[in-house]
Amino acid sequence: MIYLDSAATTLQKPKTVPRAVARAMTQFASPGRGGYSAAMGAAALLFSCREAAADFFHVSAPDQVIFTSNATMALNIAIKTLVRPGMTVVMSCYEHNAVTRCVKAIPDITVLIAEGPLFQPEAMIESFRQHLRRADVAICNDVSNVFGYRLPIEEIAELCRQEQVPLIVDASQAAGCLPVSIEGWGAEYVAMPGHKGLYGPQGTGILLCGSQAAPQPLLFGGTGSRS
């Protein structure tokens, strides 16, 4: 079979992936829920995954890596942390529904759309430049999931730094395929799924947080006073 839908989910995983999933399901208990070997082993593996992700994506510390169920959840955390009623948000015209629907669900906000024709990055840069002057938050993907078009994310990130506007990057199509650096971009948050270019199992995602970020939970519960 020739599989051409990896932009949605990678199907043909490396053999190490199903082996790791099977090992986790048969040898590990819930991390942080006990002091016995199966729970402690899970906690150690979870932390090593945070360290690996922090190293790979140029994050200062492992505790700035949040594991989620997918990129949509990661984006919802980032957007609902930064965007409040009354704010102005600028986003590109190539954003996924995980961004647009989340933003539009927040009441009393102004949405500015940075527009530019496909494969004409200068127009997109100029549109962001104009809108950022009156924006509170910027959101942009690295690569469009529809067109495979890579937006000029480095230049957009530089404009955000100049205007001191926090940036959320949707790296769903870039992670694992192109360089992703939260420190290099100076982004507040970078969201991605685990099941696309990272070749992980479905139901996994990552939210990278900047050193000063203070993400707010979508769901409450768990074990311990600081969970």
Side-chain angles (χ1 to χ4, degrees), residues 141-154:
N141 64 52
D142 191 346
V143 180
S144 166
N145 71 308
V146 176
F147 301 104
Y149 167 48
R150 188 179 191 199
L151 280 72
I153 191 65
E154 288 85 3

Side-chain angles (χ1 to χ4, degrees), residues 188-225:
E188 192 82 356
Y189 295 101
V190 177
M192 65 192 70
H195 62 91
K196 296 187 181 184
L198 295 177
Y199 286 90
Q202 289 92 325
T204 58
I206 296 175
L207 178 64
L208 307 176
C209 305
S211 59
Q212 302 301 313
Q216 300 301 305
L218 292 178
L219 306 173
F220 294 85
T223 299
S225 61

Side-chain angles (χ1 to χ4, degrees), residues 84-153:
R84 294 285 181 266
M87 286 186 170
T88 298
V89 179
V90 56
M91 67 177 74
S92 82
C93 58
Y94 298 104
E95 297 308 309
H96 190 275
N97 281 338
V99 169
T100 59
R101 289 179 177 172
C102 181
V103 168
K104 290 180 180 178
I106 300 172
D108 191 29
I109 64 169
T110 300
V111 178
L112 306 175
I113 303 298
E115 299 185 16
L118 284 171
F119 312 112
Q120 295 185 29
E122 295 81 7
M124 180 62 70
I125 294 168
E126 183 56 33
S127 187
F128 263 99
R129 188 193 313 277
Q130 294 177 10
H131 289 318
L132 280 169
R133 294 167 183 164
R134 54 195 182 98
D136 298 297
V137 178
I139 309 172
C140 187
N141 64 52
D142 191 346
V143 180
S144 166
N145 71 308
V146 176
F147 301 104
Y149 167 48
R150 188 179 191 199
L151 280 72
I153 191 65

Side-chain angles (χ1 to χ4, degrees), residues 2 26 63 73 81 111 116 119 129 147 165 190 200 204 210 214 224 226:
I2 298 175
T26 56
D63 61 1
M73 184 177 182
T81 295
V111 178
F119 312 112
R129 188 193 313 277
F147 301 104
V165 175
V190 177
T204 58
R226 299 190 62 179

